[in-house]
Amino acid sequence: MGSGAEVPGIDRLLVARFRPSAADDRRGRPLAAGRAAMTRFAFYGRVSTEDNQDPEASRSWQLRRARALIESRGGEIVAEFFDVDKSRSIPWARRPYASALIEELKNPGRDFDAVVIGEPHRAFYGNQYSLTFPLFEHFAVPLWVPEVGGPIDPANEAHDMIMGVFGGLSKGERNRVKIRVRAAMSAITATEGRYLGGRPPYGYELQDVGPHPNPAKAADGKRLRRLVAHPVHSLVVQWIFAQFIGGRGLFDIAEDLTRQGIPSPSASDPTRNRHRCQIAWSKSAVRVIITNPRYTGHQVWNKQRKDEVLLDVNDVALGHTTKMRWNDRDSWIWSEDKVHDGLVSTEDFERTQQTLASRGRGPAAHKPHRTRRPYAFRGCLYCGYCERKMQGNWNNRQAYYRCRFPEEYALANKIDHPKVVYLREAEIIQDIDAWLLTAFGPGRIDATLQALAAQAPAFADTATADLRKQLTQCDHKLNQYRAALDAGADPKEVTTWINDIKQKRAQIEDNLRTAAPRGQQPSHQDIADLLHQIGDLTAAIAGADPDDKADLYRQIGLKMTYYPQKQLVEARVIPDPHMCKWFVSEGGLEPPCP
């Protein structure tokens, strides 16, 4: 992270920079005569959703610990790197701001002289310290932690042992949290049958049954809910079970439902299912319904689990990624009694599972995952027949995109769709890149720069509106914490929360007062200089990694629709409020549309 730079694509950034001159302190007052120059520190911290903490409150106490360590020794924090929503198990190289800090270590003109960490439990996990500290040592940047009372001494075996112990304790703490949570969820499911959250299955809706039993969560407005039968959709679920037990197949049932005009599950709740096809029932939707044991009236948990698998078996330092896997039915946790409206009997449900297994469509054994393939147009390419996103398919060592609508969805709606629609990535990617770069061609560069510069004030207005929104959220939390006091929560703990929020609110107000005026926004020349520094965009994009290209296409709003009957790809980029539109054929670029 260079001077004044930001990490792109990260919305939850908590970074503050203060650059006092040699003659002034951070409040702008002249330094006292003879006062020694302060050591400049960068602060690093981290918080994840696993910690069940308010990110601002966590940042606040970690920052206080760091300042308590360095300020008595003439230190001052001038830069902050704080990762939010990143588990401690994720290595530094994959945390946005930890990796940005590492990059800043390599910069000889960095704004800080040392790095301070407020809580090593949050920063290091497992062997991460042994993989990270050599970089601090190599670039001669001291790393300060409260547990050793100052900077870590590379030659001190006790320091190395202490930090290794903290990494092990951090890993053990995370594992204990996982065990406790799973044990609590199992007990709640088996004995209480409590609704544990998530989207209600098709055929049910949620009913409020009172405040949450936890006083703090109740004060925060959380409520208990239970599943109740939907007056219409529940009848559809019962009809599906009856038809399948009677001998009909999944696709036959999906066709009949579509022919009758009954909305599919995604069409019944379109606001939460924008990513799904809503024009017909799919056989997979029917299968999900007849294999869901909650239709028996029992609460069921632990149908799936999270497995941590190595991201790259050839580079263990990259850490693990989380994969959802299905558990065997023997591992499912059932409530002892029925706890909500049952739509089918337990006997009919078991008969359905036996019938499904006898047809060879029962649960299959887990197959090893294939190596992840790169697709540059991931999420950007749509089928011109059904308007669904086309799926990536690797064939003959090349990236293809396909749509198999007739194999998945009922055709009772008379959609004219080929059995399979295929498109090879290599046939269009060069033309798409060349078209995108026309915005920075000699004939259009001035118009493009003017459009980019004109958007800068809008970004400033957006930032101000976001700060005002944060103020409103702070006021809301203050009201909740005061309500928690009235509900009998621990006064000492709640007072700490209130003080943290008040401190955060004061900081937001300071940011509002010091918000950059419009005159300080990037100018036409600033953007031109930036493009000049980037160099040859054509060569940069042509040689970019497919995953990086996919991120670029997504961020600029690229959407392409493939029309096989015309052998045509319609490409659009919509950088609000303007829209560019061009047609790209499989053979090359066609003239722009009028």
Side-chain angles (χ1 to χ4, degrees), residues 412-427:
N413 47 19
K414 307 301 181 184
I415 290 182
D416 182 16
H417 197 294
K419 185 176 181 179
V420 181
V421 174
Y422 259 110
L423 177 62
R424 187 162 63 98
E425 181 182 284
E427 294 179 355

Side-chain angles (χ1 to χ4, degrees), residues 8-270:
I10 306 298
D11 297 328
R12 305 189 68 180
L13 168 62
L14 295 173
V15 174
R17 288 185 176 272
F18 309 98
R19 298 184 180 86
S21 67
D24 294 345
D25 68 7
R26 60 184 292 179
R27 295 178 178 84
R29 296 193 295 264
L31 289 171
R35 180 178 169 184
M38 284 191 172
T39 302
R40 302 171 303 169
F41 279 86
F43 162 76
Y44 177 73
R46 184 204 61 82
V47 65
S48 71
T49 54
E50 294 176 359
D51 299 321
N52 196 26
Q53 281 194 346
D54 174 23
E56 282 291 350
S58 180
R59 169 185 170 273
S60 178
W61 70 258
Q62 291 182 56
L63 196 57
R64 282 201 303 269
R65 289 199 77 207
R67 283 177 174 157
L69 174 65
I70 66 172
E71 288 183 348
S72 61
R73 306 188 186 187
E76 181 182 26
I77 293 176
V78 298
E80 295 181 26
F81 298 82
F82 194 80
D83 278 304
V84 179
D85 248 358
K86 297 299 177 184
S87 169
R88 70 186 73 189
S89 64
I90 297 177
W92 278 49
R94 289 169 50 210
R95 300 181 199 170
Y97 295 103
S99 62
L101 174 59
I102 294 299
E103 288 300 315
E104 192 71 0
L105 295 180
K106 305 174 184 177
N107 178 17
R110 69 181 85 89
D111 297 334
F112 54 86
D113 309 307
V115 175
V116 60
I117 291 175
E119 176 54 72
H121 276 88
R122 301 297 177 96
F124 299 113
Y125 172 90
N127 65 342
Q128 290 175 3
Y129 168 76
S130 62
L131 296 173
T132 307
F133 184 70
L135 295 173
F136 288 86
E137 187 178 3
H138 175 78
F139 293 108
V141 178
L143 177 63
W144 290 50
V145 294
E147 281 67 20
V148 300
I152 297 175
D153 184 358
N156 191 321
E157 294 183 359
H159 285 192
D160 189 66
M161 182 182 300
I162 290 172
M163 296 305 298
V165 168
F166 277 118
L169 291 175
S170 178
K171 184 175 182 179
E173 178 185 349
R174 181 171 180 264
N175 289 335
R176 286 195 300 273
V177 169
K178 290 169 61 176
I179 292 172
R180 288 197 299 267
V181 168
R182 292 186 60 84
M185 296 283 277
S186 298
I188 290 174
T189 301
T191 59
E192 300 181 29
R194 187 190 303 174
Y195 175 70
L196 300 176
R199 182 176 300 188
Y202 176 80
Y204 287 109
E205 56 186 358
L206 294 177
Q207 181 185 69
D208 191 309
V209 293
H212 200 281
N214 185 311
K217 292 185 177 181
D220 200 30
K222 291 183 171 59
R223 312 279 296 179
L224 285 183
R225 292 176 172 82
R226 67 185 297 266
L227 297 173
V228 295
H230 189 280
V232 177
H233 300 162
S234 60
L235 301 178
V236 177
V237 171
Q238 292 172 339
W239 182 86
I240 290 174
F241 272 95
Q243 296 299 310
F244 188 81
I245 293 174
R248 299 184 67 177
L250 302 177
F251 203 86
D252 186 22
I253 294 174
E255 286 279 1
D256 200 348
L257 289 168
T258 304
R259 190 180 301 110
Q260 295 180 47
I262 298 174
S264 65
S266 57
S268 302
D269 192 3

Side-chain angles (χ1 to χ4, degrees), residues 144-444:
W144 290 50
V145 294
E147 281 67 20
V148 300
I152 297 175
D153 184 358
N156 191 321
E157 294 183 359
H159 285 192
D160 189 66
M161 182 182 300
I162 290 172
M163 296 305 298
V165 168
F166 277 118
L169 291 175
S170 178
K171 184 175 182 179
E173 178 185 349
R174 181 171 180 264
N175 289 335
R176 286 195 300 273
V177 169
K178 290 169 61 176
I179 292 172
R180 288 197 299 267
V181 168
R182 292 186 60 84
M185 296 283 277
S186 298
I188 290 174
T189 301
T191 59
E192 300 181 29
R194 187 190 303 174
Y195 175 70
L196 300 176
R199 182 176 300 188
Y202 176 80
Y204 287 109
E205 56 186 358
L206 294 177
Q207 181 185 69
D208 191 309
V209 293
H212 200 281
N214 185 311
K217 292 185 177 181
D220 200 30
K222 291 183 171 59
R223 312 279 296 179
L224 285 183
R225 292 176 172 82
R226 67 185 297 266
L227 297 173
V228 295
H230 189 280
V232 177
H233 300 162
S234 60
L235 301 178
V236 177
V237 171
Q238 292 172 339
W239 182 86
I240 290 174
F241 272 95
Q243 296 299 310
F244 188 81
I245 293 174
R248 299 184 67 177
L250 302 177
F251 203 86
D252 186 22
I253 294 174
E255 286 279 1
D256 200 348
L257 289 168
T258 304
R259 190 180 301 110
Q260 295 180 47
I262 298 174
S264 65
S266 57
S268 302
D269 192 3
T271 56
R272 293 193 301 182
N273 293 278
R274 296 188 181 95
H275 61 295
R276 296 194 179 278
C277 177
Q278 302 174 9
I279 58 179
W281 279 78
S282 67
K283 59 183 181 182
S284 61
V286 177
R287 191 182 190 281
V288 166
I289 289 174
I290 64 174
T291 56
N292 192 339
R294 287 203 282 181
Y295 290 118
T296 63
H298 291 267
Q299 179 63 275
V300 182
W301 180 76
N302 201 39
K303 293 172 63 179
Q304 289 181 291
R305 69 182 186 277
K306 291 182 179 180
D307 283 351
E308 292 187 346
V309 298
L310 286 172
L311 193 67
D312 186 349
V313 295
N314 297 316
D315 188 357
V316 180
L318 286 178
H320 297 76
T321 185
T322 301
K323 297 288 187 181
M324 294 297 295
R325 303 275 173 78
W326 288 99
N327 287 324
D328 295 334
R329 289 195 62 186
D330 295 341
S331 302
W332 295 1
I333 307 297
W334 291 63
S335 62
E336 297 173 357
D337 303 311
K338 290 187 177 182
V339 294
H340 55 257
D341 300 337
L343 304 186
V344 297
S345 66
T346 304
E347 293 75 16
D348 284 345
F349 178 79
E350 293 298 337
R351 191 192 312 176
T352 300
Q353 307 317 299
Q354 294 171 6
T355 303
L356 192 64
S358 66
R359 295 180 183 179
R361 296 188 178 91
H366 172 70
K367 298 179 181 179
H369 287 278
R370 295 181 179 179
T371 304
R372 185 177 179 274
R373 306 291 189 181
Y375 296 97
F377 296 129
R378 182 177 66 247
C380 296
L381 189 60
Y382 292 76
C383 174
Y385 286 103
C386 61
E387 300 182 357
R388 297 171 65 231
K389 288 183 181 179
M390 298 181 68
Q391 299 173 335
N393 178 244
W394 202 261
N395 193 8
N396 293 326
R397 299 182 180 180
Q398 296 186 69
Y400 282 78
Y401 300 88
R402 67 182 182 184
C403 179
R404 300 187 300 173
F405 184 93
E407 292 189 15
E408 301 173 9
Y409 289 86
L411 296 177
N413 47 19
K414 307 301 181 184
I415 290 182
D416 182 16
H417 197 294
K419 185 176 181 179
V420 181
V421 174
Y422 259 110
L423 177 62
R424 187 162 63 98
E425 181 182 284
E427 294 179 355
I428 62 172
I429 192 167
Q430 292 183 355
D431 292 335
I432 291 293
D433 289 343
W435 166 66
L436 291 174
L437 288 171
T438 57
F440 297 97
R444 299 188 59 190

